[in-house]
Amino acid sequence: MSNVELYTQRTRIWLPDKENIWKGAKLVKDFKEGDKQISVVFENADGEDNTDVDVVKLDKQGNLPFLRNPEILVGENDLTSLSYLHEPAVLHNLQIRFVEKNAIYTYCGIVLVAINPYFSMDIYSDDFIQLYSGRNLGEMDPHIFAIAEEAFNQMTRDEKNQSIIVTGESGAGKTVSAKFTMRYFASVGGTSKTESTVEQKVLASNPIMEAIGNAKTIRNDNSSRFGKYIELSFSKNSNIIGANMRTYLLEKSRVVSQADNERNYHIFYQLCSCADMPQFHPLRLMSADKFEYTKIGNCMTIENVDDRKNFFETVHALTLLGVSSQYQSLMFRVLSAILHMGNIGILSSQKGNDTCYIKDDDVHLLVMCELLGIESTQMLQWFCHKKITAMAEVVVTPLKLEQALQARNALAKHMYSKLFEWIVDKVNGALTTSAKVNSFIGVLDIYGFETFQVNSFEQFCINYANEKLQQQFCQHVFKLEQEEYVKEEIEWKFIDFKDNQPCIALIENKLGILDLLNDECRMPRGSNDSWAQKLYDRHLKSSEHFEKSKLSNTSFFIVHFADKVRYEIEGFVEKNRDTVNEEQLAILKASQKYALVSELFIDKSGGDVTEVSVGNDRSGSRRITVTSSTTRPSSGGRRKRETKKTVASQFQESLSHLMKTLNSTTPHYVRCIKPNDYKMPFTFEPMRASQQLRACGVLETIRISAAGYPSRWSYPEFIGRYRVLMLSKEIKKKKHQDTCEVVLSRLISDHTKYQAGKSKIFFRAGQVAYLEKLRADKLRSCALMIQKNLRCWLMKKRYIRMKRAACTIQRFVRCVQARKLVQSMRRHRAALTIQTKWRSYRQMVIYKRTLASIITIQSYTRGMFGRKLHLQLLRKQKAIVIQKHVRGWIGRKYYRKQIRSIVTIQCCIRRYQAKKQFKRLKIEARSVDHFKKLNIGMENKIMELQRKLDASAGENNALAVKAAETAELKMKLRQLSKDDDVITQLRHRITELEAALKGTEQKIDVLEEEGKIKKDEREQENKDKDQKLETLAVEITVLKEQNESQIKQSKENQIALKDELEELGRGEREKLEREMQQLQKENNEQNQQLGIMEQRYENLKDELQIVRTSNQFQIQQPNFNGGDSEEADELRRRINELEEEKEDLESNIQHKLVADDVTTQLDEMTRENERLRTNMKNLRLAISEQATQSLDSDGKAFKELYSQMEAMQLELEKRRDEVIKYKSTAAEAVAIQMSEKKHKVHKTSAATMTDAELLGSRNRMEDINVEKLDKNDLKTVLAKV
């Protein structure tokens, strides 16, 4: 029967769909050859048919859509048992089992398909282990324990090594499947005891490897970032006696960078969660959000995961595997050092971007070096510099900021990789057995096919490994398929399958991708661009699996078996080299304090020598690759330098060794599928599942099976299923094979569609579905005959029953109608009576309501009229009151206006009389009699004036003496101004001292590298330095006390000067306050300079403290020789000189303050003297003018009086000179007393008494009114003279 005949009405098919990939439909009418379209009815989400009919066009080739399997085959445990084997049938079967039956395991031939449920299922307990133990494959539902039991049975039965290959993408459940597989083997392969030590160690390796090799990614909270192959060794009695682990391609880049919402390896967060524990205080740990390497992904915790609890499990597992607490502590030290390394602040220099630096007091650098037992100065040097060796010359050049960060991150990745390998070695050492191994079962947990938006070197290696595994898988499936046909002795042809050998050859053959990459890495200046150009030239036209991007020269495509992947060339060469700076490795190798650090980086083989290959990376930084190899003399007699194998070469060799191991064993395959990207339980996305089934080779297995005879039935099963299609004459008892052959020859005309084997019948794809269609049609025809006769009997019986029921119903209906008529008549009469009574009552209620309304309206109307009348009477009364008050106001206003007019007239008359009286008095004042009355008592005033002139002359002499003192003090002030030059010299000397200190520091750094000194000498030197520091502290205390006393004295001086200001006048007080503010400002500047000098002194003391304590942070103690003692003596001598200069400066400042006070007082006296002179001149001018006006006849007498006054002025000037001399002598005595004692305020008060007297003299002279002096007064004064 042809395939076209299967497309009849009501046939179910699969059609492509954009959202769900495939969608179910049903044919509306039969399909005929030549038709270019089909009419279908699609199914909805519930599986029911829609009412709308859609027309679907066929493709250009006329390919018909895929047929759906019968309902009996939907949800089968084994996908190969389906009649139609294609992608939609596989996806539908998996979805039905996963979503509706919650079955996460399904067989696909020899492959177990495991779908991650994202839900905790109770199917892995010890009861399930006992349930699957000893059962053959296929007897129970699909399970990971069934695959493990099958491998265990074949190992014990055939004594042949087995392998279980678990693959899948991240988040599909590979690690969990491998874990449960190992648990099953530990249970069934245990000794007589419940749990032996070996089984415990095997299970204890899981938490250790998860802690150091697993991390949270976007797709999985516990994703394995490395591949591993664990060999479980069994004895002849099938008991576990040991294990061995091999790892592949650890993702080292995760140590220094993670994507958003991802984490670093679990061990870092577990360690940070225990930072508050006392035993971890020396590690200086902080929370994970404070370390750069753990906070990049912005994800510190995982939901429902306790990092602290997991850390204790990891520690317990290490202890169980025999890792001592000392080695555990060292391991945690290295991990903590990696975290602190990420926080080291590498800064760009201000001079430019060509250099960078790290602060000397960087806390994380010091902690990292302390944890690793290395010198911080050396690490600080080589974090920011590189060494270039050219022939015999070595040049150290600085690194750029980007290069320094790359070097730091490369060292962190290298350290973690070495620590990871060390832990794996420790685990293998604990699991290795000395007993004889009879056989083993290997469990391979390796990454599946990966393709991202940006694919790099890691994805290339992962996909290369999957290419090799897929090739081995296809060859093994094909081999089993052929063995089945040979066993049943049926005729078969060679099954062609998709061979990926050309893609593998493109990668690993000579001049392939890996070979060209390794050659590029061996070149000193190899780069990604040159490697890509070689790939384009070599493979672009010669290989179908290699393509170039049309829009970019920095990428290429490889057509893998699963998909075409684009790879970016950025980072291929650097990652393949995997190099670290030579100087940084040398520092780590030199660690002598902690054995683990040197053990990680120093070669273990003693007979080998370290060989290096030198090259420069893209940034020009010096790189070194270290390997351990045996030196052999070359033909020239010199040793041959061999380079370290690249990462690709190492991975290629380990992969080749893995494939040899797998080919020597019997493989069992587990393909893990991730149903959705949102981690939702029992949610199936066909698009994601289809991609993974294609990538892991399940669809290829289906295709190989479909190419042969995928459907297989045993003879008894076939007869039991299709007995309805057989004729009675065709059945032969106890000859099932003959019966089946006769029936199939009648039902299937094409004998190539099936084959009869020894115990089974093999069908081509679709033949079982055809038999199911024939069986369904036969059953349908039989069902129609039965339905026809049964429906006839049922309808006749129903008619008789309905007739009898109709008569009964009619009788009862007529009776009911008569009763209803009588009841209706009675109700009509009663209704008329009720209406009469009701209408009468209703009219009475309306009348009473109207009457009450009328009475209410009348009462309200009468009240309104009464209120209006009352309001009119009230307004009239108020108007009368207002008129009364207005008329009174108008009368009072007129009265006040009349009064104001009368007062104005009176004022004018009185002003006229006052002016007239003023003129008369003014004439009388100009008369002689009036002047005589005013000059009475003039003689007494002249005598008083004479006395005041004498006192003024004496005071002027005193002021002259003070002026001399002022001149002398100004000279001293000029000398003190030269002290500023001394201060400048002191500052220069301080700068020189600081430069000397820096030189001393450099010499100390050189001396630190010369070696160790004896412990006794170091302690003695420390004691001497402690004593010197104590002496310096005492001196500092003395200087502080002196400074405080000076401040106190200045405050007392300020108080005394304020008292003087209160005695002086307001003008002089303001001037003195301005001068005091200036003095206080200068005093503050001097105190500030003193504070600066004290701070520099403290800095010097701190430098000495650093020199004393720096030995505690170094492993190699500095050797202080005689040269160092001389430098220290020179430093102390310079400090003493600085202190003496500071004391001299303080004394000069004190003298300057005293001189400023005296100078201020002299300036005040000078100004007062000038003021008195001015007053005397004004007095002379007033007397002369008055005398000129008033004296006419007595001109000679006035001249004589004026000459006498001039003589008195000369005498006054003489006395002023004497006062100046006296003041100069007194100023010298006061200066001496002020320098010896603190009685400056009292002396200043005594010195200012003359100022007060002068002020009183000046006031007395101002009291004399020169205008009131007349001629008689002048005559009296002249007579007395």
Side-chain angles (χ1 to χ4, degrees):
M1 183 179 182
S2 62
N3 290 333
V4 178
E5 296 177 0
L6 296 175
Y7 291 86
T8 59
Q9 187 179 4
R10 291 186 299 276
T11 299
R12 299 190 303 167
I13 59 176
W14 292 105
L15 292 175
D17 184 68
K18 294 182 179 180
E19 182 178 357
N20 298 319
I21 303 181
W22 300 100
K23 192 172 184 178
K26 185 181 292 185
L27 290 176
V28 177
K29 60 181 180 179
D30 297 344
F31 176 78
K32 299 179 181 179
E33 292 190 15
D35 292 346
K36 297 183 179 179
Q37 61 185 16
I38 55 177
S39 299
V40 298
V41 175
F42 286 100
E43 294 181 355
N44 55 24
D46 298 332
E48 299 179 357
D49 297 336
N50 295 327
T51 57
D52 298 334
V53 178
D54 297 327
V55 178
V56 179
K57 294 182 180 181
L58 301 179
D59 55 11
K60 296 180 180 180
Q61 290 78 15
N63 295 325
L64 294 173
F66 292 116
L67 294 172
R68 298 179 65 176
N69 287 292
E71 291 294 334
I72 188 176
L73 299 179
V74 176
E76 280 290 317
N77 292 341
D78 194 345
L79 297 176
T80 57
S81 63
L82 300 176
S83 178
Y84 296 112
L85 281 176
H86 41 64
E87 181 178 335
V90 171
L91 288 175
H92 181 66
N93 195 73
L94 290 175
Q95 186 173 4
I96 292 296
R97 287 182 56 81
F98 181 68
V99 177
E100 297 182 4
K101 299 183 178 181
N102 290 345
I104 64 174
Y105 294 110
T106 305
Y107 292 127
C108 182
I110 63 172
V111 180
L112 176 67
V113 179
I115 304 177
N116 191 349
Y118 292 114
F119 183 79
S120 179
M121 303 183 67
D122 189 17
I123 58 174
Y124 303 103
S125 61
D126 294 336
D127 295 337
F128 277 85
I129 293 177
Q130 297 299 326
L131 185 63
Y132 280 88
S133 179
R135 300 295 183 94
N136 293 327
L137 188 67
E139 292 184 12
M140 302 290 293
D141 290 337
H143 201 285
I144 188 67
F145 291 162
I147 296 295
E149 177 62 23
E150 179 68 15
F152 186 77
N153 288 336
Q154 291 187 16
M155 182 195 68
T156 55
R157 182 179 64 248
D158 303 334
E159 293 187 354
K160 187 176 180 181
N161 299 327
Q162 307 290 314
S163 292
I164 298 178
I165 303 173
V166 184
T167 59
E169 70 174 38
S170 178
K174 303 187 300 297
T175 304
V176 176
S177 299
K179 185 191 303 184
F180 285 125
T181 303
M182 294 173 60
R183 179 185 172 190
Y184 184 85
F185 290 137
S187 298
V188 301
T191 57
S192 58
K193 300 180 181 179
T194 304
E195 282 189 359
S196 65
T197 305
V198 178
E199 286 80 25
Q200 290 179 358
K201 290 183 178 180
V202 171
L203 296 178
S205 63
N206 288 326
I208 297 174
M209 300 311 298
E210 287 184 4
I212 65 174
N214 289 22
K216 179 188 181 302
T217 62
I218 300 177
R219 299 180 177 180
N220 188 10
D221 291 342
N222 190 28
S223 176
S224 298
R225 309 316 300 163
F226 69 103
K228 62 177 178 292
Y229 182 71
I230 304 175
E231 291 182 356
L232 302 176
S233 302
F234 292 85
S235 63
K236 196 170 183 63
N237 298 328
S238 300
N239 295 326
I240 294 180
I241 58 176
N244 184 45
M245 182 188 305
R246 288 184 300 211
T247 60
Y248 305 95
L249 201 65
L250 174 69
E251 186 184 8
K252 295 186 291 185
S253 60
R254 181 167 292 273
V255 178
V256 298
S257 64
Q258 307 96 39
D260 192 24
N261 200 24
E262 291 190 357
R263 296 206 320 174
N264 208 325
Y265 290 103
H266 294 327
I267 188 64
F268 291 115
Y269 301 92
Q270 294 176 5
L271 198 60
C272 291
S273 65
C274 301
D276 57 344
M277 298 178 63
Q279 58 267 34
F280 294 108
H281 286 173
L283 303 182
R284 311 282 182 86
L285 291 173
M286 302 178 293
S287 58
D289 57 352
K290 295 182 181 179
F291 285 110
E292 188 67 25
Y293 284 162
T294 54
K295 70 178 182 180
I296 299 176
N298 296 323
C299 181
M300 305 299 131
T301 58
I302 304 176
E303 186 177 0
N304 299 326
V305 174
D306 189 354
D307 290 326
R308 193 184 185 99
K309 179 181 177 181
N310 293 342
F311 179 75
F312 292 142
E313 293 179 359
T314 304
V315 173
H316 176 71
L318 289 169
T319 306
L320 188 62
L321 290 178
V323 181
S324 63
S325 59
Q326 180 181 2
Y327 272 103
Q328 292 182 25
S329 176
L330 294 176
M331 182 181 72
F332 298 148
R333 277 183 170 272
V334 175
L335 292 172
S336 302
I338 293 174
L339 290 177
H340 285 287
M341 187 186 301
N343 283 25
I344 295 176
I346 303 178
L347 306 176
S348 178
S349 178
Q350 297 180 355
K351 298 180 180 179
N353 296 326
D354 294 338
T355 60
C356 62
Y357 70 96
I358 301 175
K359 295 182 179 180
D360 296 339
D361 56 350
D362 192 294
V363 176
H364 296 285
L365 175 64
L366 299 176
V367 173
M368 184 204 74
C369 296
E370 181 182 356
L371 293 175
L372 297 178
I374 58 179
E375 296 182 4
S376 60
T377 54
Q378 296 180 2
M379 211 66 191
L380 184 147
Q381 171 74 11
W382 297 117
F383 264 138
C384 303
H385 295 80
K386 64 180 179 180
K387 183 187 293 183
I388 300 177
T389 304
M391 301 300 289
E393 184 179 2
V394 178
V395 180
V396 177
T397 59
L399 293 174
K400 297 181 180 179
L401 178 61
E402 182 181 358
Q403 295 174 348
L405 293 175
Q406 291 177 356
R408 182 196 65 181
N409 294 338
L411 180 61
K413 293 187 291 185
H414 186 71
M415 289 175 62
Y416 190 81
S417 174
K418 288 295 183 180
L419 182 63
F420 180 84
E421 295 174 359
W422 179 84
I423 295 174
V424 173
D425 292 340
K426 287 292 182 183
V427 172
N428 287 334
L431 298 178
T432 303
T433 179
S434 58
K436 183 178 179 181
V437 178
N438 184 57
S439 57
F440 68 85
I441 298 178
V443 180
L444 178 63
D445 177 11
I446 199 165
Y447 14 67
F449 184 83
E450 289 187 355
T451 174
F452 302 113
Q453 291 183 353
V454 179
N455 300 285
S456 187
F457 179 74
E458 294 83 357
Q459 284 72 38
F460 177 79
C461 294
I462 290 172
N463 295 339
Y464 167 52
N466 279 273
E467 286 283 358
K468 298 286 288 184
L469 292 174
Q470 178 65 18
Q471 185 185 41
Q472 190 269 347
F473 170 74
C474 292
Q475 292 175 354
H476 182 71
V477 171
F478 171 75
K479 180 180 178 182
L480 291 180
E481 193 76 11
Q482 309 304 330
E483 288 178 354
E484 182 71 16
Y485 298 156
V486 173
K487 179 181 178 181
E488 292 292 331
E489 297 179 357
I490 64 174
E491 297 179 1
W492 57 280
K493 295 181 180 179
F494 182 78
I495 300 175
D496 187 19
F497 63 93
K498 184 179 179 180
D499 191 7
N500 59 347
Q501 180 58 35
C503 182
I504 296 175
L506 170 67
I507 297 174
E508 67 180 10
N509 278 5
K510 188 175 181 180
L511 297 180
I513 295 177
L514 291 180
D515 192 30
L516 293 176
L517 179 60
N518 292 332
D519 291 341
E520 192 69 22
C521 292
R522 295 187 189 100
M523 299 177 65
R525 296 189 178 275
S527 63
N528 296 316
D529 296 332
S530 61
W531 172 64
Q533 190 61 41
K534 292 179 182 178
L535 290 179
Y536 300 151
D537 298 340
R538 178 68 184 176
H539 301 291
L540 190 58
K541 297 181 180 179
S542 61
S543 177
E544 297 179 354
H545 294 268
F546 184 86
E547 298 178 5
K548 179 182 178 295
S549 176
K550 296 180 180 180
L551 301 177
S552 174
N553 292 328
T554 61
S555 62
F556 60 90
F557 290 92
I558 294 182
V559 182
H560 292 284
F561 73 94
D563 199 0
K564 183 169 74 172
V565 182
R566 175 178 177 174
Y567 297 99
E568 298 292 338
I569 66 172
E570 183 68 27
F572 263 77
V573 175
E574 291 80 0
K575 293 178 181 179
N576 191 35
R577 284 173 176 165
D578 191 26
T579 55
V580 185
N581 281 340
E582 177 184 4
E583 294 77 16
Q584 297 175 357
L585 283 178
I587 295 173
L588 294 175
K589 291 178 182 179
S591 176
Q592 298 179 359
K593 188 174 181 180
Y594 302 112
L596 177 61
V597 179
S598 58
E599 182 180 349
L600 289 178
F601 302 100
I602 295 180
D603 297 330
K604 298 180 181 179
S605 57
D608 297 345
V609 296
T610 301
E611 299 179 357
V612 296
S613 66
V614 181
N616 296 327
D617 60 4
R618 293 177 59 195
S619 58
S621 175
R622 173 98 174 165
R623 298 288 180 181
I624 177 172
T625 57
V626 183
T627 183
S628 178
S629 60
T630 306
T631 56
R632 294 174 295 179
S634 61
S635 58
R638 291 181 298 177
R639 293 183 176 180
K640 181 181 179 181
R641 174 172 292 182
E642 298 180 357
T643 59
K644 173 190 172 182
K645 293 181 179 179
T646 60
V647 175
S649 299
Q650 296 176 4
F651 182 71
Q652 191 174 5
E653 290 180 1
S654 60
L655 185 60
S656 177
H657 181 64
L658 174 64
M659 299 310 301
K660 290 180 182 179
T661 304
L662 295 179
N663 292 329
S664 65
T665 61
T666 301
H668 305 268
Y669 300 96
V670 178
R671 297 293 189 252
C672 298
I673 303 299
K674 186 177 181 180
N676 60 82
D677 292 329
Y678 309 104
K679 303 178 184 179
M680 299 177 63
F682 293 106
T683 302
F684 190 86
E685 293 183 358
M687 183 73 71
R688 292 286 293 118
S690 175
Q691 295 173 355
Q692 297 174 70
L693 290 173
R694 189 179 296 107
C696 65
V698 174
L699 296 181
E700 184 67 17
T701 305
I702 297 298
R703 196 190 66 80
I704 293 176
S705 299
Y709 298 92
S711 302
R712 300 159 193 183
W713 290 75
S714 63
Y715 293 115
E717 291 175 349
F718 182 81
I719 293 175
R721 179 66 179 171
Y722 301 107
R723 174 68 179 79
V724 69
L725 299 178
M726 299 178 183
L727 303 177
S728 299
K729 62 181 180 180
E730 295 175 346
I731 299 175
K732 298 179 181 180
K733 296 182 178 180
K734 298 183 180 180
K735 294 183 179 179
H736 298 309
Q737 184 174 358
D738 296 339
T739 301
C740 293
E741 290 179 356
V742 173
V743 172
L744 289 174
S745 62
R746 178 174 58 85
L747 296 177
I748 302 176
S749 58
D750 189 358
H751 298 291
T752 60
K753 297 295 183 180
Y754 67 92
Q755 287 281 349
K758 295 174 65 176
S759 61
K760 299 178 183 179
I761 301 176
F762 294 82
F763 293 97
R764 292 284 187 182
Q767 299 308 309
V768 174
Y770 170 67
L771 293 176
E772 287 292 327
K773 182 178 181 301
L774 295 178
R775 180 176 178 273
D777 293 341
K778 183 68 175 177
L779 293 176
R780 183 187 297 274
S781 62
C782 296
L784 290 175
M785 181 63 69
I786 295 172
Q787 288 177 359
K788 179 182 69 174
N789 293 289
L790 182 60
R791 287 172 180 171
C792 180
W793 175 77
L794 291 174
M795 293 304 295
K796 183 177 180 181
K797 187 177 180 180
R798 181 182 179 188
Y799 171 74
I800 296 172
R801 187 170 62 253
M802 290 176 64
K803 184 178 179 181
R804 188 183 300 114
C807 293
T808 303
I809 291 171
Q810 286 177 0
R811 184 174 69 249
F812 280 98
V813 167
R814 288 168 182 169
C815 180
V816 170
Q817 287 178 351
R819 291 192 189 97
K820 285 185 177 181
L821 179 61
V822 173
Q823 187 177 6
S824 175
M825 294 173 66
R826 290 176 179 176
R827 288 183 176 180
H828 180 70
R829 187 176 61 183
L832 292 176
T833 303
I834 293 171
Q835 287 177 1
T836 302
K837 298 294 182 181
W838 169 251
R839 288 170 182 171
S840 175
Y841 169 75
R842 186 176 180 185
Q843 291 298 324
M844 182 62 68
V845 171
I846 292 172
Y847 170 74
K848 290 181 179 180
R849 187 182 301 162
T850 304
L851 181 62
S853 300
I854 292 171
I855 293 171
T856 303
I857 292 171
Q858 287 177 353
S859 64
Y860 277 100
T861 303
R862 291 168 182 170
M864 181 184 66
F865 288 129
R867 285 190 294 273
K868 285 184 178 180
L869 180 60
H870 175 266
L871 185 61
Q872 289 177 0
L873 294 176
L874 185 63
R875 285 182 177 177
K876 184 176 180 180
Q877 182 184 2
K878 297 299 181 181
I880 293 171
V881 174
I882 293 171
Q883 288 176 359
K884 179 183 68 174
H885 287 284
V886 169
R887 288 169 182 170
W889 175 75
I890 293 172
R892 287 191 296 273
K893 184 178 180 182
Y894 177 75
Y895 172 75
R896 284 195 294 271
K897 183 178 181 182
Q898 294 295 329
I899 292 297
R900 281 197 298 271
S901 299
I902 293 170
V903 172
T904 303
I905 293 170
Q906 290 177 354
C907 290
C908 291
I909 294 172
R910 289 170 183 171
R911 182 174 57 186
Y912 169 75
Q913 292 176 356
K915 287 182 179 180
K916 190 174 181 180
Q917 180 69 19
F918 175 74
K919 290 181 180 179
R920 184 178 58 80
L921 292 175
K922 190 173 182 182
I923 293 170
E924 291 178 357
R926 293 177 181 176
S927 63
V928 179
D929 295 335
H930 179 71
F931 277 101
K932 289 181 180 181
K933 292 179 182 180
L934 291 178
N935 291 332
I936 297 173
M938 190 64 184
E939 295 179 358
N940 295 331
K941 293 181 181 180
I942 293 296
M943 296 301 293
E944 182 67 20
L945 178 60
Q946 181 63 33
R947 188 182 62 81
K948 290 182 179 181
L949 287 175
D950 295 338
S952 238
E955 290 174 358
N956 287 335
N957 293 332
L959 288 174
V961 175
K962 288 185 179 181
E965 293 177 357
T966 301
E968 185 177 356
L969 290 174
K970 285 183 179 180
M971 292 297 295
K972 292 182 180 180
L973 181 61
R974 293 191 188 97
Q975 293 178 359
L976 289 175
S977 63
K978 297 179 180 179
D979 293 339
D980 294 335
D981 299 334
V982 176
I983 293 172
T984 305
Q985 295 177 1
L986 287 175
R987 290 178 179 173
H988 290 308
R989 295 193 63 184
I990 290 171
T991 305
E992 293 175 358
L993 287 174
E994 290 176 352
L997 282 174
K998 291 182 180 178
T1000 304
E1001 290 176 358
Q1002 295 177 358
K1003 292 180 180 179
I1004 290 173
D1005 292 337
V1006 174
L1007 293 173
E1008 285 176 354
E1009 299 176 357
E1010 293 179 0
K1012 299 180 178 179
I1013 62 172
K1014 296 180 180 180
K1015 183 176 181 180
D1016 295 337
E1017 294 178 355
R1018 185 173 66 255
E1019 291 179 353
Q1020 185 63 33
E1021 290 179 357
N1022 290 337
K1023 290 179 180 180
D1024 295 338
K1025 290 178 180 179
D1026 290 337
Q1027 293 177 358
K1028 293 176 181 179
L1029 288 174
E1030 291 176 358
T1031 304
L1032 292 175
V1034 172
E1035 294 175 355
I1036 288 292
T1037 304
V1038 173
L1039 290 175
K1040 289 182 178 179
E1041 292 177 355
Q1042 293 178 358
N1043 188 21
E1044 291 176 357
S1045 63
Q1046 292 177 2
I1047 294 172
K1048 183 176 180 181
Q1049 183 178 357
S1050 64
K1051 290 182 179 179
E1052 293 176 355
N1053 294 336
Q1054 292 175 5
I1055 293 171
L1057 291 175
K1058 287 181 180 179
D1059 295 337
E1060 294 175 0
L1061 286 173
E1062 292 176 357
E1063 297 176 358
L1064 296 175
R1066 181 175 301 175
E1068 288 78 9
R1069 184 180 302 157
E1070 291 176 355
K1071 294 180 181 179
L1072 289 176
E1073 284 178 353
R1074 288 195 297 270
E1075 293 172 357
M1076 281 298 300
Q1077 291 176 359
Q1078 183 66 24
L1079 290 174
Q1080 187 175 4
K1081 182 177 179 181
E1082 295 177 356
N1083 189 17
N1084 292 334
E1085 292 177 354
Q1086 297 296 333
N1087 291 333
Q1088 186 177 3
Q1089 293 179 1
L1090 180 61
I1092 293 172
M1093 295 174 65
E1094 289 179 351
Q1095 183 61 39
R1096 291 181 178 175
Y1097 178 78
E1098 291 292 335
N1099 294 338
L1100 292 175
K1101 185 178 75 171
D1102 293 340
E1103 291 294 332
L1104 291 175
Q1105 183 69 16
I1106 292 172
V1107 172
R1108 182 179 69 83
T1109 59
S1110 60
N1111 301 326
Q1112 299 175 2
F1113 298 96
Q1114 303 293 336
I1115 301 303
Q1116 297 179 355
Q1117 301 294 337
N1119 184 15
F1120 289 95
N1121 51 15
D1124 179 57
S1125 299
E1126 293 178 359
E1127 294 293 335
D1129 293 337
E1130 179 66 19
L1131 181 61
R1132 287 193 293 270
R1133 185 179 61 80
R1134 292 182 178 179
I1135 291 173
N1136 293 332
E1137 292 178 357
L1138 184 61
E1139 291 175 354
E1140 293 176 358
E1141 292 174 357
K1142 184 181 73 172
E1143 293 176 356
D1144 295 340
L1145 181 60
E1146 290 176 352
S1147 61
N1148 292 333
I1149 291 171
Q1150 184 175 3
H1151 290 305
K1152 183 176 180 180
L1153 291 174
V1154 174
D1156 290 341
D1157 293 339
V1158 177
T1159 305
T1160 304
Q1161 295 175 7
L1162 291 176
D1163 292 337
E1164 293 173 358
M1165 295 178 183
T1166 304
R1167 286 193 296 271
E1168 186 67 23
N1169 192 12
E1170 292 295 332
R1171 209 174 285 113
L1172 291 174
R1173 290 181 180 178
T1174 305
N1175 293 335
M1176 289 295 296
K1177 288 181 180 180
N1178 293 334
L1179 179 61
R1180 293 194 190 104
L1181 292 175
I1183 294 172
S1184 62
E1185 290 176 0
Q1186 187 68 25
T1188 303
Q1189 292 177 3
S1190 59
L1191 292 180
D1192 295 330
S1193 59
D1194 296 333
K1196 295 181 180 180
F1198 174 73
K1199 291 181 180 179
E1200 184 178 358
L1201 178 61
Y1202 187 74
S1203 62
Q1204 293 293 332
M1205 290 176 64
E1206 288 180 353
M1208 292 171 63
Q1209 181 65 29
L1210 293 175
E1211 185 177 359
L1212 180 61
E1213 290 179 357
K1214 291 180 181 180
R1215 292 183 181 181
R1216 186 187 303 123
D1217 295 336
E1218 293 176 358
V1219 170
I1220 292 172
K1221 293 180 182 180
Y1222 171 74
K1223 288 295 181 179
S1224 61
T1225 305
E1228 294 178 359
V1230 170
I1232 295 173
Q1233 291 178 1
M1234 288 176 63
S1235 62
E1236 295 177 352
K1237 298 180 181 180
K1238 298 180 180 179
H1239 301 294
K1240 175 181 175 294
V1241 177
H1242 301 290
K1243 293 296 182 180
T1244 306
S1245 300
T1248 56
M1249 290 298 293
T1250 307
D1251 297 337
E1253 294 175 357
L1254 291 174
L1255 183 60
S1257 301
R1258 184 191 64 181
N1259 295 334
R1260 287 193 299 270
M1261 293 183 67
E1262 287 177 353
D1263 293 338
I1264 302 173
N1265 191 354
V1266 180
E1267 295 179 355
K1268 295 181 180 181
L1269 291 176
D1270 55 3
K1271 182 174 62 174
N1272 296 328
D1273 295 333
L1274 292 175
K1275 289 180 179 180
T1276 304
V1277 172
L1278 185 60
K1280 291 183 179 181
V1281 172

